[in-house]
Amino acid sequence: MIGEAASQGRPRKKKEKAFTGAHALLVFPSGEDHKATLDLMRRFSAAARYAYNRLLEGWSRETLKRENGPLRIFFGLNTRYADDAVLKAQALLDSARERGEDPRKVVFGGRRLFETLRRRHLSGKPLKEVKREWKEKRQGLLYSRGDKTKGGNLNLRLLVKEGALWLRINLGDGGYAHALVKTRHPNLSALVERVHASLPYNVELSLKDGKVHATFAWEEEPAPLVATKENGVLALDVNSDPYHLALALVSPDGNLRRHLTLSLEEVDRAPNRGTKELLLWKIAHQVVSLALEHGVAIATERLRHLPKGRRGDGSGRAFRRKAHRFAYASLLRKVHSLARKRGVQVVEVNPQDTSTIGMLKYAPLLSLSKDVAAAYVIGRRALGFKEKLPKGYGKLLGDGAFLAHARDFYRTRAEELRIQKRNERDRSRRNRLSRELKRAHGALSLLSSLQGSSGSQREVTDGRNSPGVNPWRVLRVGTFLPLLGREVPRDLSPLKPILFGGSWEGWRGGLGPHPGGGPECTDVRST
């Protein structure tokens, strides 16, 4: 199969690597060695910035790193350092693109510090501290990859002398600087073993508070799989309000065996970043232990970017606070890392419409919370199941009265939002109204596109676009706000009559919309 895929030109999936490492402080007995190392870090940092801008212009890695290339000539680096500077720049470029950010707007040294300096509101000692931190972040980088053929790491090599661990730093001009490696990291013994066995390790030097720190990292061989999706999956989903992790244990036949939630409020109350990290690791251990207990794989969404909002966008302080505390990506990285070490298979799925399908189908059907329902959909998708549209929903989508009711709701809502926006003087509130008006227009477009679409009844659950309209999204805009009165309802049980029979008599038979819904609910906000 691999040869067949390659012959047809399809890209091969990269083998996922698991790294571990150790952190240390470098102590320089010689002041000259310290000075030379700082100068090398400054030149390497500048070379990485130069390489980043050239990569944006389309230059190749080979052109940048070659013997007579610009990184060697302009910055005085050897070929291996030059190549590592290009790799660092490429990694930053790839990261920006994966997060959906404009790579041309990346700020070396950190946007937060850049914006602080640009405001020019500091003076005296606080200004000096910010400038020092900015300079360290922009000029305090040195990186060297490990190489098995070179006995570990050629440019930044660890040496054991008289019972102490030293780092020999190749200055690139034929000379070397030496620094004592000072650490009590629990992975120190494993690092020393690699030094004695001449196994490769990556080294990255960084500056903080005037001191040089070193991070050593190496690839770990993954543990043999003992828990796979052949026995089912444990699926994860995180909700920011209330702040918790939803878990759904799904059997191989796609049925829900068990579900539970783990609160993340303690993570939110952590006094510092270190405590927060420890708590997240604790939760990751709980998740992996549960997967091992049942012998199942772990299924998660494949998330690349989480919107956090910005001041002035109208989202409100409460939303931005919840979004910024959101530790989903960090938690997933820890779960994935720990799972690989303990032999638990990890399956990542496309996150498209998992929450919508969960809320519409499984929350009312099985009386689940919307978060557990979303986790259940993730688990089923990881096992290869596709979600069929229930007959009741198919009948609802063919009901002209229902579609007319939903369209009338959004037309009225859009008109009221336009009036509110025209009369609103506060900029932030105008931005909020603009966002809600845009959503109303989007819902109208979605509902209108359903008419006459031959593919409108096809389900979309695997991340690929159907030839017709996505029925789950049409159902969401047609039922949640017009009938339930919320963009993200907490109580989804009123959808049961529709789910089983396609009947919305409870709303259609009354004089108006369901209590809590209707065009007059112009101030409705998602929860």
Side-chain angles (χ1 to χ4, degrees):
M1 291 296 291
I2 294 178
E4 188 175 284
S7 65
Q8 294 177 12
R10 291 194 296 269
R12 297 181 182 179
K13 185 178 179 180
K14 291 183 179 179
K15 180 183 177 182
E16 199 168 355
K17 297 181 179 180
F19 284 87
T20 189
H23 182 78
L25 174 67
L26 297 186
V27 178
F28 292 85
S30 167
E32 290 299 319
D33 282 359
H34 185 227
K35 183 178 178 181
T37 300
L38 293 180
D39 180 67
L40 175 60
M41 295 172 73
R42 177 188 60 79
R43 289 185 282 118
F44 184 93
S45 301
R49 295 197 299 273
Y50 180 90
Y52 183 88
N53 290 319
R54 301 294 80 77
L55 289 172
L56 281 177
E57 295 171 0
W59 287 40
S60 68
R61 172 182 172 184
E62 288 69 24
T63 302
L64 288 167
K65 74 171 186 177
R66 65 189 179 190
E67 187 74 22
N68 60 343
L71 298 188
R72 293 212 60 208
I73 294 174
F74 297 160
F75 304 101
L77 303 177
N78 62 33
T79 305
R80 187 171 289 268
Y81 274 139
D83 192 24
D84 290 336
V86 177
L87 287 178
K88 271 292 182 184
Q90 186 65 61
L92 183 60
L93 182 61
D94 293 342
S95 177
R97 286 170 174 165
E98 286 182 2
R99 295 194 305 269
E101 298 176 357
D102 185 349
R104 295 169 299 179
K105 295 184 179 180
V106 167
V107 178
F108 287 85
R111 182 168 296 278
R112 177 184 62 84
L113 291 173
F114 174 74
E115 295 292 345
T116 300
L117 290 171
R118 193 172 68 167
R119 286 198 296 269
R120 298 183 179 180
H121 65 292
L122 298 177
S123 62
K125 188 175 180 180
L127 178 60
K128 289 182 179 178
E129 286 297 313
V130 172
K131 284 185 174 180
R132 178 190 57 76
E133 186 179 355
W134 167 256
K135 184 177 179 181
E136 287 182 344
K137 287 186 177 294
R138 279 183 64 87
Q139 301 183 1
L141 173 67
L142 182 61
Y143 175 74
S144 177
R145 284 171 300 146
D147 190 335
K148 189 175 182 179
T149 63
K150 304 298 181 181
N153 194 306
L154 188 62
N155 278 333
L156 300 176
R157 184 182 292 278
L158 285 167
L159 305 172
V160 179
K161 296 188 295 184
E162 298 178 356
L165 190 62
W166 292 78
L167 183 66
R168 190 189 70 184
I169 303 166
N170 187 344
L171 298 175
D173 57 0
Y176 294 93
H178 293 82
L180 182 65
V181 179
K182 192 174 180 181
T183 182
R184 293 182 179 179
H185 198 280
N187 287 335
L188 175 59
S189 58
L191 178 60
V192 173
E193 286 178 15
R194 298 190 74 82
V195 174
H196 286 301
S198 298
L199 294 174
Y201 49 88
N202 303 331
V203 185
E204 181 171 320
L205 304 189
S206 59
L207 264 180
K208 185 176 181 181
D209 299 331
K211 298 179 180 179
V212 180
H213 297 260
T215 300
F216 306 93
W218 57 92
E219 186 179 354
E220 278 191 340
E221 290 296 326
L225 290 178
V226 295
T228 68
K229 69 175 185 178
E230 300 299 322
N231 302 320
V233 297
L234 178 67
L236 284 66
D237 188 62
V238 170
N239 183 47
S240 63
D241 185 22
Y243 196 27
H244 67 256
L245 176 68
L247 302 169
L249 185 63
V250 188
S251 61
D253 60 4
N255 288 320
L256 183 64
R257 292 171 54 190
R258 180 186 175 189
H259 63 86
L260 68 153
T261 59
L262 298 176
S263 175
L264 297 176
E265 293 295 339
E266 190 178 1
V267 176
D268 189 35
R269 294 192 296 267
N272 52 58
R273 183 176 178 180
T275 305
K276 182 177 181 179
E277 288 291 297
L278 288 174
L279 290 170
L280 288 174
W281 275 114
K282 179 182 176 182
I283 294 166
H285 275 275
Q286 288 178 276
V287 172
V288 175
S289 296
L290 187 60
L292 282 170
E293 178 186 338
H294 293 277
V296 299
I298 289 175
T300 69
E301 290 181 333
R302 187 170 59 248
L303 293 180
R304 292 184 175 182
H305 178 64
L306 288 172
K308 296 182 181 298
R310 65 183 185 279
R311 187 174 182 181
D313 65 358
S315 58
R317 291 182 181 179
F319 170 80
R320 291 196 300 273
R321 182 183 66 82
K322 293 173 185 175
H324 277 280
R325 75 179 185 176
F326 213 46
Y328 196 11
S330 177
L331 179 58
L332 286 190
R333 285 194 295 269
K334 290 172 174 58
V335 169
H336 289 191
S337 174
L338 189 60
R340 284 192 295 265
K341 291 179 181 179
R342 300 185 65 180
V344 177
Q345 182 185 9
V346 176
V347 184
E348 294 181 90
V349 303
N350 192 309
Q352 181 176 332
D353 299 323
T354 52
S355 296
T356 297
I357 296 171
M359 286 190 287
L360 284 166
K361 186 174 182 179
Y362 294 111
L365 180 65
L366 302 176
S367 299
L368 302 174
S369 70
K370 62 184 181 63
D371 313 305
V372 171
Y376 184 31
V377 174
I378 292 169
R380 285 176 54 85
R381 187 172 292 181
L383 292 169
F385 290 95
K386 293 185 178 181
E387 303 298 344
K388 294 181 179 179
L389 196 69
K391 291 182 180 179
Y393 284 150
K395 181 179 177 182
L396 186 68
L397 290 176
D399 190 328
F402 164 72
L403 296 176
H405 170 83
R407 287 194 295 270
D408 289 343
F409 171 90
Y410 283 108
R411 288 193 190 101
T412 305
R413 178 169 171 77
E415 181 59 31
E416 293 181 356
L417 287 169
R418 274 193 292 269
I419 295 172
Q420 287 187 34
K421 181 182 175 182
R422 188 165 56 244
N423 297 329
E424 182 58 63
R425 298 290 178 238
D426 183 80
R427 181 180 178 183
S428 179
R429 291 174 184 168
R430 281 178 60 86
N431 289 341
R432 175 175 65 82
L433 290 169
S434 295
R435 288 194 354 264
E436 292 182 4
L437 182 59
K438 184 177 179 181
R439 286 200 296 267
H441 285 309
L444 267 174
S445 176
L446 195 59
L447 288 162
S448 299
S449 64
L450 185 65
Q451 292 179 308
S453 173
S454 60
S456 63
Q457 299 303 308
R458 291 185 55 181
E459 61 272 9
V460 178
T461 64
D462 60 359
R464 296 186 292 272
N465 291 327
S466 167
V469 178
N470 186 317
W472 297 105
R473 295 179 186 174
V474 176
L475 284 166
R476 177 169 183 155
V477 301
T479 58
F480 284 6
L481 199 54
L483 302 186
L484 301 181
R486 296 280 184 180
E487 289 183 348
V488 184
R490 292 190 183 278
D491 182 14
L492 294 150
S493 60
L495 292 178
K496 278 187 178 181
I498 300 177
L499 180 66
F500 288 111
S503 170
W504 61 298
E505 294 291 342
W507 292 284
R508 181 169 54 185
L511 297 176
H514 185 275
E520 68 275 12
C521 297
T522 52
D523 291 328
V524 171
R525 300 287 299 278
S526 60
T527 57

